[in-house]
Amino acid sequence: MKWAGYRGELISDYYLRELPEKDYYIFHDLRYPSGHSHFQIDSLILTHYFALHLEIKNISGSISFNEDFRQIIQRKNDILKAYQDPIAQAGIHQRHLKKLMAGWGISDLPIINLVVFSKPSTILEAGANRAQISRNVCFAFELVERIELLRKFYLDEKLGSKEIKKLCKNLVKYHTTKCYDPLKFYNISPSKVITGVQCKTCFSFGMLRKHGSWICPKCGWKSKDAHVQAIYDYLFLLDSKISNRKCCEFLHLSSPFIANYLLSTMNLSHSGFNKDRFYFLSDS
């Protein structure tokens, strides 16, 4: 579902490019703390007159809205799946966003919700409350038309140039990136991660360090910096920091001095001294 959501945002972004940049400020994947948790905004479009919050869904098949239980039901290949009603979901995010902006001194900017289905082949079934649902839901190809209608409805300017620039800066400044753990996401044990340096020619693992170079024992490919990708893999997959000892273990090195040399030449951030030194990726 993460990849599907990303694909949906790409499709919506394609249509949003039609909007003039000087009048619309567009943000994607915003994430902010709220109490003990966080809330996330798929897309946010700012104007001097209103803010448009987009809840983007990249779901195929036939979708029916069940307002009694605040769900949508997907029918695809004779299989039923239920999801939280995106209209209700958008309302929750809208309340969080209003509270966040109020803390920045902005309380009278209208925030409109719109649920956007990215695939025009998706069949939407609104049921008895069709009129209300159609006001809150559209397809990606309708986005620009919907935004132009909103612009004709909201005529009073709520934010001046300085205010909207300040709001844009705050949206970027207070955005918090979600830490993504690929092993946990794909349910892979750290013990299953293949160690050693990978050959870029035959893709086998277990390159040997000899006379300042890495040599593949299978195909003979030679490299000075094949270890770099392996160390980045370790930092992204297994731990946010790496020591000389862990580097030796992961790269199959026999000498901590070689590990220290390799780590020190990668321009990584570090803390501690001697055997207690750790290397890590910089936040900047």
Side-chain angles (χ1 to χ4, degrees):
M1 287 301 294
K2 289 179 182 291
W3 174 246
Y6 175 67
R7 288 283 300 162
E9 289 172 28
L10 287 180
I11 295 169
S12 299
D13 194 42
Y14 170 79
Y15 293 103
L16 293 175
R17 291 174 189 170
E18 296 181 35
L19 297 173
E21 292 183 7
K22 64 183 181 68
D23 298 323
Y24 297 90
Y25 301 82
I26 302 173
F27 298 85
H28 299 294
D29 295 319
L30 296 173
R31 184 174 180 268
Y32 302 100
S34 177
H36 298 291
S37 185
H38 290 77
F39 72 98
Q40 185 164 329
I41 301 294
D42 289 340
S43 293
L44 181 67
I45 303 171
L46 289 182
T47 75
H48 293 275
Y49 309 91
F50 62 88
L52 179 61
H53 161 223
L54 304 180
E55 187 75 30
I56 299 171
K57 298 300 176 185
N58 189 39
I59 307 176
S60 57
S62 177
I63 306 296
S64 60
F65 288 78
N66 186 326
E67 292 193 68
D68 292 332
F69 297 100
R70 311 305 295 270
Q71 289 180 314
I72 57 172
I73 311 298
Q74 177 194 34
R75 296 181 182 88
K76 184 178 179 181
N77 300 326
D78 295 324
I79 297 174
L80 296 182
K81 286 186 179 180
Y83 302 96
Q84 181 183 3
D85 180 1
I87 298 175
Q89 189 178 13
I92 294 170
H93 294 166
Q94 179 194 48
R95 290 192 290 274
H96 287 310
L97 191 58
K98 282 184 176 181
K99 185 177 180 181
L100 183 72
M101 288 188 180
W104 297 338
I106 297 173
S107 56
D108 60 346
L109 181 70
I111 301 176
I112 301 100
N113 292 331
L114 191 58
V115 176
V116 181
F117 284 85
S118 58
K119 294 183 177 181
S121 59
T122 302
I123 300 171
L124 300 180
E125 300 173 2
N129 209 1
R130 183 182 183 87
Q132 181 180 349
I133 290 174
S134 63
R135 284 196 299 269
N136 293 288
V137 178
C138 76
F139 286 103
F141 66 83
E142 301 177 275
L143 264 175
V144 173
E145 182 182 351
R146 288 291 190 108
I147 292 169
E148 289 175 346
L149 288 173
L150 288 171
R151 179 64 188 86
K152 292 178 181 178
F153 183 81
Y154 291 93
L155 301 175
D156 296 332
E157 183 175 290
K158 299 296 183 179
L159 298 178
S161 297
K162 289 184 178 179
E163 291 173 307
I164 201 167
K165 286 180 180 178
K166 183 179 179 181
L167 176 55
C168 289
K169 287 182 179 179
N170 281 340
L171 287 169
V172 174
K173 179 180 179 181
Y174 293 101
H175 163 72
T176 58
T177 304
K178 186 175 182 179
C179 296
Y180 174 56
D181 185 344
L183 297 185
K184 185 176 181 180
F185 181 80
Y186 290 105
N187 195 27
I188 299 172
S189 169
S191 63
K192 299 295 184 181
V193 175
I194 301 173
T195 61
V197 177
Q198 186 179 27
C199 174
K200 292 183 180 179
T201 300
C202 69
F203 304 108
S204 62
F205 286 83
M207 293 187 73
L208 304 175
R209 183 77 178 177
K210 291 183 179 180
H211 308 298
S213 296
W214 293 96
I215 301 173
C216 178
K218 288 191 176 182
C219 71
W221 182 68
K222 196 174 182 180
S223 171
K224 289 283 188 181
D225 60 359
H227 62 279
V228 172
Q229 186 59 56
I231 292 173
Y232 281 140
D233 289 344
Y234 179 96
L235 292 171
F236 282 117
L237 294 174
L238 296 175
D239 201 346
S240 59
K241 60 185 183 300
I242 187 170
S243 65
N244 285 347
R245 182 175 65 84
K246 289 294 184 182
C247 184
C248 280
E249 293 175 2
F250 194 72
L251 302 186
H252 302 173
L253 293 169
S254 59
S255 170
F257 298 103
I258 295 177
N260 179 64
Y261 169 75
L262 296 178
L263 289 168
S264 64
T265 57
M266 283 184 60
N267 198 31
L268 296 168
S269 298
H270 59 80
S271 63
F273 299 93
N274 301 323
K275 66 177 182 178
D276 295 322
R277 171 163 288 189
F278 291 92
Y279 295 83
F280 51 92
L281 296 172
S282 173
D283 292 331
S284 60

